[in-house]
Amino acid sequence: MTTRHRSVRVAPAAARALLIAIVASCAAPARAQAPSPEAAESPTPPPAPPRLAPAPPETAEPSSPRPPPPWHHGVSEERRQKAQALFEEARELHRRMMLAEARAKYEEALASWEHPELRLYLGRALTSIGLPLLAYDNLRMSLRWGPGSLDPDAEQEARAAMRALVAQELAVIEIRCDEPGAAVLLDGKPWFVGPGAQRRIVTPGEHILTARKVGHFTVVKPIVVLAGKEASGALALRVDTVVTRQRWPAWLPWATLGAGAALGIAGGGLMWHADTYHDDAHQRFQGSCHPSCAPSTRDQYDGSILESRLAIGAFIAGGATAIAGTVLLFMNRPETFRTEDRGGVKVELRPAASLDVAMLSGRLVF
């Protein structure tokens, strides 16, 4: 028995259509679960460049227009566009950690437009560079227009960064001077004029405090402050006077000299009286000796001798006193000198308080 096989012939077009249908039905779930290679390889569109906050639009009511912020006053549109372009360049440099170049661009942008956001970004760059004092100053200037100059998150960031800089990398000097008209200098640069008290953020280390006023002694005081510490104190100036003084009262040498002269005069008087008394006694004694001398008392002779001795003692004492008076007179010449109390400053170190821009005054402890 012979078996015959029948061959089935399918048209090529139909076969291709069937194959495409089978492949499409198998690949549909895969396409539903994973993106195509073309879609996966397409790059994400870059974010829009940062923009400085523009001035708020004016209200529709002409009776109550909304004024622009202070940093928009007197700034032309050309300067704003220039600052915006520089700001975008600085942000790109900042993102690439080219901090010195970014700083230069921020400062150039600020020269065209004093904007609080520019100050904030410059403060960030300066903090990263390692210039805490300049960073603090720029952060403070970003908040100088009060609340609302920055958005709430940026304002909170600026205040937190300022507190951290003061607590970790900076120091505080607070000085009080009650002398009217006294010029107070810090590191050779003018600070303030008394009376009053001032507070300044400084870098840690040694600083020179100086106070000057015409007719007063100049006070120069080195102050060493550490990071996170506050040096507070008060200045005291003293009048620069020339004093003339003597060792003893002016009358004392003259009185001593006069006493010596008086003793000399008294000694001379006693000596004259003793000689006169002695001569008189001698003459009376000789007149009674004819032809022989009778015994007589020696009282007159003894009195004259005693007075002579007293006169000699008065001469010696008077001379010594006169010499002492002359020496005192020489030593008591007026001496001219300047007062020794030249004033100064007493400084106390304590932990630095956390500072905000709106609260820069503090309690002085002496």
mmCIF file of all heavy atoms in Angstrom, residues 141-193:
data_model
loop_
_atom_site.group_PDB
_atom_site.id
_atom_site.type_symbol
_atom_site.label_atom_id
_atom_site.label_comp_id
_atom_site.label_asym_id
_atom_site.label_seq_id
_atom_site.Cartn_x
_atom_site.Cartn_y
_atom_site.Cartn_z
ATOM 1 N N MET A 141 25.017 91.422 55.502
ATOM 2 C CA MET A 141 24.505 92.380 54.532
ATOM 3 C C MET A 141 23.342 91.818 53.724
ATOM 4 O O MET A 141 22.497 92.578 53.243
ATOM 5 C CB MET A 141 25.635 92.814 53.602
ATOM 6 C CG MET A 141 26.714 93.624 54.305
ATOM 7 S SD MET A 141 28.071 94.097 53.211
ATOM 8 C CE MET A 141 27.242 95.268 52.147
ATOM 9 N N SER A 142 23.269 90.495 53.578
ATOM 10 C CA SER A 142 22.125 89.924 52.879
ATOM 11 C C SER A 142 20.832 90.074 53.667
ATOM 12 O O SER A 142 19.742 89.980 53.097
ATOM 13 C CB SER A 142 22.380 88.446 52.591
ATOM 14 O OG SER A 142 22.336 87.668 53.781
ATOM 15 N N LEU A 143 20.948 90.311 54.975
ATOM 16 C CA LEU A 143 19.771 90.461 55.833
ATOM 17 C C LEU A 143 19.549 91.887 56.307
ATOM 18 O O LEU A 143 18.697 92.118 57.153
ATOM 19 C CB LEU A 143 19.910 89.544 57.057
ATOM 20 C CG LEU A 143 20.031 88.045 56.771
ATOM 21 C CD1 LEU A 143 20.339 87.299 58.055
ATOM 22 C CD2 LEU A 143 18.768 87.508 56.129
ATOM 23 N N ARG A 144 20.325 92.824 55.787
ATOM 24 C CA ARG A 144 20.253 94.176 56.337
ATOM 25 C C ARG A 144 18.947 94.877 56.000
ATOM 26 O O ARG A 144 18.612 95.878 56.641
ATOM 27 C CB ARG A 144 21.424 94.998 55.814
ATOM 28 C CG ARG A 144 21.430 95.221 54.317
ATOM 29 C CD ARG A 144 22.557 96.123 53.901
ATOM 30 N NE ARG A 144 22.669 96.251 52.468
ATOM 31 C CZ ARG A 144 23.452 97.135 51.870
ATOM 32 N NH1 ARG A 144 24.168 97.959 52.602
ATOM 33 N NH2 ARG A 144 23.512 97.196 50.557
ATOM 34 N N TRP A 145 18.192 94.397 54.988
ATOM 35 C CA TRP A 145 16.918 95.026 54.663
ATOM 36 C C TRP A 145 15.771 94.435 55.471
ATOM 37 O O TRP A 145 14.619 94.778 55.229
ATOM 38 C CB TRP A 145 16.639 94.884 53.173
ATOM 39 C CG TRP A 145 17.457 95.820 52.340
ATOM 40 C CD1 TRP A 145 17.328 97.181 52.245
ATOM 41 C CD2 TRP A 145 18.542 95.471 51.495
ATOM 42 N NE1 TRP A 145 18.280 97.690 51.401
ATOM 43 C CE2 TRP A 145 19.040 96.667 50.909
ATOM 44 C CE3 TRP A 145 19.160 94.279 51.151
ATOM 45 C CZ2 TRP A 145 20.103 96.695 50.032
ATOM 46 C CZ3 TRP A 145 20.225 94.295 50.273
ATOM 47 C CH2 TRP A 145 20.681 95.496 49.718
ATOM 48 N N GLY A 146 16.085 93.549 56.396
ATOM 49 C CA GLY A 146 15.053 93.030 57.278
ATOM 50 C C GLY A 146 14.375 91.795 56.729
ATOM 51 O O GLY A 146 14.720 91.269 55.660
ATOM 52 N N PRO A 147 13.380 91.282 57.457
ATOM 53 C CA PRO A 147 12.654 90.083 57.012
ATOM 54 C C PRO A 147 12.017 90.307 55.650
ATOM 55 O O PRO A 147 11.494 91.371 55.351
ATOM 56 C CB PRO A 147 11.590 89.895 58.105
ATOM 57 C CG PRO A 147 12.122 90.620 59.293
ATOM 58 C CD PRO A 147 12.900 91.787 58.749
ATOM 59 N N GLY A 148 12.071 89.252 54.839
ATOM 60 C CA GLY A 148 11.490 89.331 53.509
ATOM 61 C C GLY A 148 12.483 89.617 52.417
ATOM 62 O O GLY A 148 12.152 89.465 51.238
ATOM 63 N N SER A 149 13.686 90.045 52.754
ATOM 64 C CA SER A 149 14.678 90.275 51.718
ATOM 65 C C SER A 149 15.120 88.961 51.069
ATOM 66 O O SER A 149 15.515 88.943 49.908
ATOM 67 C CB SER A 149 15.884 91.009 52.297
ATOM 68 O OG SER A 149 16.447 90.279 53.380
ATOM 69 N N LEU A 150 15.057 87.866 51.831
ATOM 70 C CA LEU A 150 15.309 86.527 51.300
ATOM 71 C C LEU A 150 14.091 85.663 51.586
ATOM 72 O O LEU A 150 13.256 85.997 52.446
ATOM 73 C CB LEU A 150 16.543 85.904 51.970
ATOM 74 C CG LEU A 150 17.884 86.623 51.770
ATOM 75 C CD1 LEU A 150 18.935 85.980 52.651
ATOM 76 C CD2 LEU A 150 18.321 86.583 50.313
ATOM 77 N N ASP A 151 13.980 84.561 50.864
ATOM 78 C CA ASP A 151 12.881 83.647 51.177
ATOM 79 C C ASP A 151 13.148 83.012 52.538
ATOM 80 O O ASP A 151 14.280 82.995 53.014
ATOM 81 C CB ASP A 151 12.726 82.593 50.084
ATOM 82 C CG ASP A 151 13.966 81.716 49.949
ATOM 83 O OD1 ASP A 151 14.157 80.838 50.794
ATOM 84 O OD2 ASP A 151 14.740 81.951 48.995
ATOM 85 N N PRO A 152 12.118 82.489 53.200
ATOM 86 C CA PRO A 152 12.284 82.010 54.588
ATOM 87 C C PRO A 152 13.398 80.986 54.761
ATOM 88 O O PRO A 152 14.162 81.045 55.731
ATOM 89 C CB PRO A 152 10.910 81.410 54.915
ATOM 90 C CG PRO A 152 9.960 82.155 54.033
ATOM 91 C CD PRO A 152 10.712 82.427 52.765
ATOM 92 N N ASP A 153 13.522 80.031 53.841
ATOM 93 C CA ASP A 153 14.572 79.018 53.986
ATOM 94 C C ASP A 153 15.961 79.640 53.878
ATOM 95 O O ASP A 153 16.876 79.319 54.650
ATOM 96 C CB ASP A 153 14.398 77.932 52.930
ATOM 97 C CG ASP A 153 13.136 77.105 53.152
ATOM 98 O OD1 ASP A 153 12.660 77.094 54.308
ATOM 99 O OD2 ASP A 153 12.652 76.494 52.185
ATOM 100 N N ALA A 154 16.143 80.548 52.907
ATOM 101 C CA ALA A 154 17.445 81.194 52.744
ATOM 102 C C ALA A 154 17.770 82.079 53.937
ATOM 103 O O ALA A 154 18.925 82.144 54.384
ATOM 104 C CB ALA A 154 17.470 82.004 51.455
ATOM 105 N N GLU A 155 16.777 82.768 54.468
ATOM 106 C CA GLU A 155 17.012 83.622 55.638
ATOM 107 C C GLU A 155 17.419 82.786 56.845
ATOM 108 O O GLU A 155 18.350 83.141 57.582
ATOM 109 C CB GLU A 155 15.747 84.430 55.943
ATOM 110 C CG GLU A 155 15.910 85.359 57.127
ATOM 111 C CD GLU A 155 14.682 86.226 57.350
ATOM 112 O OE1 GLU A 155 13.826 86.299 56.445
ATOM 113 O OE2 GLU A 155 14.587 86.834 58.436
ATOM 114 N N GLN A 156 16.734 81.662 57.043
ATOM 115 C CA GLN A 156 17.098 80.778 58.152
ATOM 116 C C GLN A 156 18.510 80.229 57.968
ATOM 117 O O GLN A 156 19.287 80.122 58.923
ATOM 118 C CB GLN A 156 16.080 79.640 58.247
ATOM 119 C CG GLN A 156 16.307 78.710 59.436
ATOM 120 C CD GLN A 156 15.232 77.642 59.530
ATOM 121 O OE1 GLN A 156 14.354 77.554 58.674
ATOM 122 N NE2 GLN A 156 15.311 76.823 60.554
ATOM 123 N N GLU A 157 18.848 79.887 56.727
ATOM 124 C CA GLU A 157 20.204 79.398 56.446
ATOM 125 C C GLU A 157 21.250 80.455 56.761
ATOM 126 O O GLU A 157 22.292 80.156 57.364
ATOM 127 C CB GLU A 157 20.307 79.002 54.975
ATOM 128 C CG GLU A 157 21.709 78.594 54.555
ATOM 129 C CD GLU A 157 21.885 78.584 53.048
ATOM 130 O OE1 GLU A 157 20.882 78.661 52.321
ATOM 131 O OE2 GLU A 157 23.054 78.520 52.602
ATOM 132 N N ALA A 158 20.991 81.714 56.375
ATOM 133 C CA ALA A 158 21.959 82.787 56.619
ATOM 134 C C ALA A 158 22.172 83.009 58.105
ATOM 135 O O ALA A 158 23.308 83.150 58.573
ATOM 136 C CB ALA A 158 21.492 84.067 55.942
ATOM 137 N N ARG A 159 21.096 83.022 58.872
ATOM 138 C CA ARG A 159 21.230 83.257 60.314
ATOM 139 C C ARG A 159 21.940 82.091 60.992
ATOM 140 O O ARG A 159 22.779 82.286 61.883
ATOM 141 C CB ARG A 159 19.857 83.488 60.931
ATOM 142 C CG ARG A 159 19.183 84.765 60.460
ATOM 143 C CD ARG A 159 17.883 85.027 61.214
ATOM 144 N NE ARG A 159 17.222 86.210 60.697
ATOM 145 C CZ ARG A 159 17.513 87.459 61.056
ATOM 146 N NH1 ARG A 159 18.465 87.668 61.950
ATOM 147 N NH2 ARG A 159 16.864 88.484 60.541
ATOM 148 N N ALA A 160 21.625 80.876 60.581
ATOM 149 C CA ALA A 160 22.301 79.713 61.172
ATOM 150 C C ALA A 160 23.789 79.726 60.824
ATOM 151 O O ALA A 160 24.638 79.397 61.663
ATOM 152 C CB ALA A 160 21.636 78.432 60.675
ATOM 153 N N ALA A 161 24.113 80.106 59.595
ATOM 154 C CA ALA A 161 25.531 80.156 59.205
ATOM 155 C C ALA A 161 26.277 81.227 60.000
ATOM 156 O O ALA A 161 27.427 81.026 60.394
ATOM 157 C CB ALA A 161 25.642 80.431 57.712
ATOM 158 N N MET A 162 25.636 82.357 60.263
ATOM 159 C CA MET A 162 26.280 83.412 61.048
ATOM 160 C C MET A 162 26.544 82.935 62.476
ATOM 161 O O MET A 162 27.626 83.161 63.029
ATOM 162 C CB MET A 162 25.399 84.666 61.053
ATOM 163 C CG MET A 162 25.311 85.372 59.712
ATOM 164 S SD MET A 162 24.075 86.681 59.694
ATOM 165 C CE MET A 162 24.765 87.796 60.912
ATOM 166 N N ARG A 163 25.564 82.281 63.067
ATOM 167 C CA ARG A 163 25.770 81.777 64.433
ATOM 168 C C ARG A 163 26.893 80.746 64.478
ATOM 169 O O ARG A 163 27.698 80.728 65.407
ATOM 170 C CB ARG A 163 24.461 81.188 64.963
ATOM 171 C CG ARG A 163 23.411 82.222 65.310
ATOM 172 C CD ARG A 163 22.274 81.583 66.095
ATOM 173 N NE ARG A 163 21.522 80.657 65.247
ATOM 174 C CZ ARG A 163 20.436 80.976 64.564
ATOM 175 N NH1 ARG A 163 19.987 82.219 64.591
ATOM 176 N NH2 ARG A 163 19.799 80.079 63.832
ATOM 177 N N ALA A 164 26.948 79.887 63.480
ATOM 178 C CA ALA A 164 28.000 78.876 63.461
ATOM 179 C C ALA A 164 29.376 79.508 63.297
ATOM 180 O O ALA A 164 30.348 79.078 63.928
ATOM 181 C CB ALA A 164 27.726 77.876 62.331
ATOM 182 N N LEU A 165 29.477 80.539 62.467
ATOM 183 C CA LEU A 165 30.770 81.200 62.279
ATOM 184 C C LEU A 165 31.248 81.853 63.571
ATOM 185 O O LEU A 165 32.428 81.767 63.930
ATOM 186 C CB LEU A 165 30.658 82.249 61.167
ATOM 187 C CG LEU A 165 30.555 81.706 59.740
ATOM 188 C CD1 LEU A 165 30.251 82.837 58.769
ATOM 189 C CD2 LEU A 165 31.839 80.996 59.332
ATOM 190 N N VAL A 166 30.338 82.521 64.283
ATOM 191 C CA VAL A 166 30.720 83.179 65.539
ATOM 192 C C VAL A 166 31.117 82.157 66.593
ATOM 193 O O VAL A 166 32.066 82.355 67.352
ATOM 194 C CB VAL A 166 29.565 84.068 66.037
ATOM 195 C CG1 VAL A 166 29.852 84.594 67.441
ATOM 196 C CG2 VAL A 166 29.345 85.232 65.093
ATOM 197 N N ALA A 167 30.412 81.042 66.637
ATOM 198 C CA ALA A 167 30.678 80.046 67.676
ATOM 199 C C ALA A 167 31.928 79.219 67.404
ATOM 200 O O ALA A 167 32.552 78.704 68.343
ATOM 201 C CB ALA A 167 29.471 79.123 67.821
ATOM 202 N N GLN A 168 32.346 79.097 66.133
ATOM 203 C CA GLN A 168 33.419 78.163 65.814
ATOM 204 C C GLN A 168 34.654 78.814 65.201
ATOM 205 O O GLN A 168 35.772 78.344 65.436
ATOM 206 C CB GLN A 168 32.901 77.095 64.838
ATOM 207 C CG GLN A 168 31.739 76.295 65.396
ATOM 208 C CD GLN A 168 31.117 75.372 64.363
ATOM 209 O OE1 GLN A 168 31.647 75.205 63.265
ATOM 210 N NE2 GLN A 168 29.983 74.783 64.706
ATOM 211 N N GLU A 169 34.492 79.876 64.415
ATOM 212 C CA GLU A 169 35.621 80.407 63.659
ATOM 213 C C GLU A 169 35.911 81.879 63.914
ATOM 214 O O GLU A 169 36.946 82.370 63.458
ATOM 215 C CB GLU A 169 35.390 80.206 62.154
ATOM 216 C CG GLU A 169 35.207 78.762 61.744
ATOM 217 C CD GLU A 169 35.097 78.613 60.235
ATOM 218 O OE1 GLU A 169 36.017 79.050 59.529
ATOM 219 O OE2 GLU A 169 34.068 78.058 59.771
ATOM 220 N N LEU A 170 35.053 82.583 64.615
ATOM 221 C CA LEU A 170 35.245 84.013 64.830
ATOM 222 C C LEU A 170 35.226 84.322 66.314
ATOM 223 O O LEU A 170 34.986 83.454 67.151
ATOM 224 C CB LEU A 170 34.154 84.816 64.101
ATOM 225 C CG LEU A 170 34.160 84.703 62.572
ATOM 226 C CD1 LEU A 170 32.959 85.423 61.988
ATOM 227 C CD2 LEU A 170 35.446 85.267 61.987
ATOM 228 N N ALA A 171 35.497 85.568 66.656
ATOM 229 C CA ALA A 171 35.473 86.039 68.040
ATOM 230 C C ALA A 171 34.788 87.399 68.080
ATOM 231 O O ALA A 171 34.508 88.006 67.034
ATOM 232 C CB ALA A 171 36.888 86.129 68.610
ATOM 233 N N VAL A 172 34.524 87.871 69.294
ATOM 234 C CA VAL A 172 33.798 89.121 69.488
ATOM 235 C C VAL A 172 34.583 90.009 70.441
ATOM 236 O O VAL A 172 35.117 89.529 71.440
ATOM 237 C CB VAL A 172 32.379 88.870 70.054
ATOM 238 C CG1 VAL A 172 31.614 90.185 70.189
ATOM 239 C CG2 VAL A 172 31.614 87.904 69.178
ATOM 240 N N ILE A 173 34.669 91.304 70.109
ATOM 241 C CA ILE A 173 35.248 92.301 71.006
ATOM 242 C C ILE A 173 34.190 93.362 71.257
ATOM 243 O O ILE A 173 33.631 93.930 70.310
ATOM 244 C CB ILE A 173 36.513 92.938 70.405
ATOM 245 C CG1 ILE A 173 37.633 91.904 70.293
ATOM 246 C CG2 ILE A 173 36.983 94.105 71.274
ATOM 247 C CD1 ILE A 173 38.919 92.446 69.703
ATOM 248 N N GLU A 174 33.912 93.617 72.531
ATOM 249 C CA GLU A 174 32.928 94.634 72.920
ATOM 250 C C GLU A 174 33.594 95.573 73.923
ATOM 251 O O GLU A 174 34.036 95.140 74.991
ATOM 252 C CB GLU A 174 31.689 93.984 73.516
ATOM 253 C CG GLU A 174 30.563 94.973 73.761
ATOM 254 C CD GLU A 174 29.279 94.272 74.144
ATOM 255 O OE1 GLU A 174 29.348 93.127 74.666
ATOM 256 O OE2 GLU A 174 28.206 94.835 73.944
ATOM 257 N N ILE A 175 33.677 96.848 73.581
ATOM 258 C CA ILE A 175 34.403 97.816 74.389
ATOM 259 C C ILE A 175 33.491 98.997 74.696
ATOM 260 O O ILE A 175 32.727 99.456 73.845
ATOM 261 C CB ILE A 175 35.670 98.303 73.655
ATOM 262 C CG1 ILE A 175 36.653 97.135 73.501
ATOM 263 C CG2 ILE A 175 36.342 99.443 74.413
ATOM 264 C CD1 ILE A 175 37.149 96.556 74.808
ATOM 265 N N ARG A 176 33.651 99.501 75.913
ATOM 266 C CA ARG A 176 32.903 100.672 76.363
ATOM 267 C C ARG A 176 33.891 101.772 76.727
ATOM 268 O O ARG A 176 34.904 101.518 77.375
ATOM 269 C CB ARG A 176 32.051 100.306 77.578
ATOM 270 C CG ARG A 176 31.341 101.478 78.225
ATOM 271 C CD ARG A 176 30.579 100.996 79.439
ATOM 272 N NE ARG A 176 30.024 102.071 80.208
ATOM 273 C CZ ARG A 176 29.371 101.920 81.357
ATOM 274 N NH1 ARG A 176 29.227 100.696 81.852
ATOM 275 N NH2 ARG A 176 28.896 102.945 82.001
ATOM 276 N N CYS A 177 33.581 103.001 76.315
ATOM 277 C CA CYS A 177 34.414 104.159 76.644
ATOM 278 C C CYS A 177 33.495 105.298 77.032
ATOM 279 O O CYS A 177 32.680 105.752 76.216
ATOM 280 C CB CYS A 177 35.301 104.554 75.452
ATOM 281 S SG CYS A 177 36.375 105.963 75.791
ATOM 282 N N ASP A 178 33.611 105.770 78.269
ATOM 283 C CA ASP A 178 32.746 106.831 78.778
ATOM 284 C C ASP A 178 33.360 108.217 78.652
ATOM 285 O O ASP A 178 32.748 109.196 79.099
ATOM 286 C CB ASP A 178 32.403 106.563 80.254
ATOM 287 C CG ASP A 178 31.549 105.303 80.423
ATOM 288 O OD1 ASP A 178 30.772 105.005 79.501
ATOM 289 O OD2 ASP A 178 31.678 104.627 81.461
ATOM 290 N N GLU A 179 34.554 108.324 78.087
ATOM 291 C CA GLU A 179 35.209 109.625 77.961
ATOM 292 C C GLU A 179 34.674 110.346 76.718
ATOM 293 O O GLU A 179 34.854 109.875 75.597
ATOM 294 C CB GLU A 179 36.716 109.442 77.837
ATOM 295 C CG GLU A 179 37.490 110.737 77.768
ATOM 296 C CD GLU A 179 37.389 111.549 79.046
ATOM 297 O OE1 GLU A 179 37.355 110.940 80.143
ATOM 298 O OE2 GLU A 179 37.318 112.783 78.953
ATOM 299 N N PRO A 180 34.006 111.489 76.879
ATOM 300 C CA PRO A 180 33.476 112.200 75.704
ATOM 301 C C PRO A 180 34.600 112.650 74.774
ATOM 302 O O PRO A 180 35.617 113.181 75.209
ATOM 303 C CB PRO A 180 32.739 113.403 76.315
ATOM 304 C CG PRO A 180 32.475 113.027 77.735
ATOM 305 C CD PRO A 180 33.626 112.152 78.143
ATOM 306 N N GLY A 181 34.405 112.417 73.491
ATOM 307 C CA GLY A 181 35.372 112.860 72.495
ATOM 308 C C GLY A 181 36.580 111.969 72.327
ATOM 309 O O GLY A 181 37.455 112.277 71.510
ATOM 310 N N ALA A 182 36.650 110.851 73.039
ATOM 311 C CA ALA A 182 37.795 109.951 72.909
ATOM 312 C C ALA A 182 37.629 109.091 71.660
ATOM 313 O O ALA A 182 36.589 108.468 71.455
ATOM 314 C CB ALA A 182 37.926 109.062 74.146
ATOM 315 N N ALA A 183 38.650 109.048 70.817
ATOM 316 C CA ALA A 183 38.632 108.246 69.594
ATOM 317 C C ALA A 183 39.185 106.863 69.903
ATOM 318 O O ALA A 183 40.310 106.732 70.377
ATOM 319 C CB ALA A 183 39.447 108.917 68.495
ATOM 320 N N VAL A 184 38.389 105.844 69.631
ATOM 321 C CA VAL A 184 38.789 104.457 69.889
ATOM 322 C C VAL A 184 39.117 103.808 68.549
ATOM 323 O O VAL A 184 38.345 103.897 67.593
ATOM 324 C CB VAL A 184 37.670 103.687 70.605
ATOM 325 C CG1 VAL A 184 38.100 102.250 70.893
ATOM 326 C CG2 VAL A 184 37.292 104.391 71.907
ATOM 327 N N LEU A 185 40.282 103.164 68.485
ATOM 328 C CA LEU A 185 40.744 102.511 67.274
ATOM 329 C C LEU A 185 40.954 101.028 67.557
ATOM 330 O O LEU A 185 41.351 100.643 68.660
ATOM 331 C CB LEU A 185 42.053 103.117 66.761
ATOM 332 C CG LEU A 185 42.056 104.578 66.317
ATOM 333 C CD1 LEU A 185 42.251 105.523 67.506
ATOM 334 C CD2 LEU A 185 43.159 104.829 65.297
ATOM 335 N N LEU A 186 40.677 100.209 66.562
ATOM 336 C CA LEU A 186 40.924 98.779 66.654
ATOM 337 C C LEU A 186 41.870 98.392 65.526
ATOM 338 O O LEU A 186 41.560 98.594 64.345
ATOM 339 C CB LEU A 186 39.621 97.989 66.545
ATOM 340 C CG LEU A 186 39.732 96.476 66.728
ATOM 341 C CD1 LEU A 186 40.240 96.149 68.132
ATOM 342 C CD2 LEU A 186 38.405 95.786 66.476
ATOM 343 N N ASP A 187 43.038 97.885 65.905
ATOM 344 C CA ASP A 187 44.084 97.528 64.941
ATOM 345 C C ASP A 187 44.477 98.709 64.061
ATOM 346 O O ASP A 187 44.710 98.570 62.856
ATOM 347 C CB ASP A 187 43.633 96.355 64.066
ATOM 348 C CG ASP A 187 43.423 95.081 64.873
ATOM 349 O OD1 ASP A 187 44.118 94.917 65.892
ATOM 350 O OD2 ASP A 187 42.578 94.262 64.505
ATOM 351 N N GLY A 188 44.514 99.900 64.672
ATOM 352 C CA GLY A 188 44.947 101.097 63.964
ATOM 353 C C GLY A 188 43.888 101.731 63.094
ATOM 354 O O GLY A 188 44.161 102.767 62.464
ATOM 355 N N LYS A 189 42.678 101.179 63.031
ATOM 356 C CA LYS A 189 41.614 101.742 62.199
ATOM 357 C C LYS A 189 40.531 102.350 63.095
ATOM 358 O O LYS A 189 40.189 101.781 64.130
ATOM 359 C CB LYS A 189 41.006 100.658 61.306
ATOM 360 C CG LYS A 189 42.007 100.054 60.338
ATOM 361 C CD LYS A 189 41.366 98.965 59.484
ATOM 362 C CE LYS A 189 42.368 98.356 58.524
ATOM 363 N NZ LYS A 189 41.762 97.277 57.698
ATOM 364 N N PRO A 190 39.989 103.518 62.721
ATOM 365 C CA PRO A 190 38.957 104.154 63.554
ATOM 366 C C PRO A 190 37.787 103.219 63.786
ATOM 367 O O PRO A 190 37.309 102.542 62.870
ATOM 368 C CB PRO A 190 38.554 105.383 62.727
ATOM 369 C CG PRO A 190 39.733 105.660 61.848
ATOM 370 C CD PRO A 190 40.328 104.323 61.527
ATOM 371 N N TRP A 191 37.310 103.210 65.036
ATOM 372 C CA TRP A 191 36.193 102.357 65.415
ATOM 373 C C TRP A 191 34.991 103.215 65.804
ATOM 374 O O TRP A 191 33.992 103.236 65.101
ATOM 375 C CB TRP A 191 36.620 101.421 66.521
ATOM 376 C CG TRP A 191 35.617 100.358 66.858
ATOM 377 C CD1 TRP A 191 34.435 100.122 66.225
ATOM 378 C CD2 TRP A 191 35.708 99.385 67.904
ATOM 379 N NE1 TRP A 191 33.781 99.067 66.793
ATOM 380 C CE2 TRP A 191 34.533 98.594 67.834
ATOM 381 C CE3 TRP A 191 36.655 99.107 68.874
ATOM 382 C CZ2 TRP A 191 34.306 97.543 68.719
ATOM 383 C CZ3 TRP A 191 36.424 98.070 69.751
ATOM 384 C CH2 TRP A 191 35.257 97.289 69.676
ATOM 385 N N PHE A 192 35.082 103.925 66.941
ATOM 386 C CA PHE A 192 33.984 104.790 67.353
ATOM 387 C C PHE A 192 34.543 105.881 68.242
ATOM 388 O O PHE A 192 35.705 105.865 68.629
ATOM 389 C CB PHE A 192 32.890 103.995 68.070
ATOM 390 C CG PHE A 192 33.296 103.449 69.424
ATOM 391 C CD1 PHE A 192 32.989 104.136 70.594
ATOM 392 C CD2 PHE A 192 33.984 102.249 69.525
ATOM 393 C CE1 PHE A 192 33.364 103.636 71.830
ATOM 394 C CE2 PHE A 192 34.364 101.730 70.762
ATOM 395 C CZ PHE A 192 34.047 102.437 71.912
ATOM 396 N N VAL A 193 33.692 106.870 68.551
ATOM 397 C CA VAL A 193 34.058 108.004 69.400
ATOM 398 C C VAL A 193 33.173 107.974 70.632
ATOM 399 O O VAL A 193 31.940 107.845 70.522
ATOM 400 C CB VAL A 193 33.913 109.336 68.639
ATOM 401 C CG1 VAL A 193 34.236 110.512 69.557
ATOM 402 C CG2 VAL A 193 34.834 109.354 67.418
#
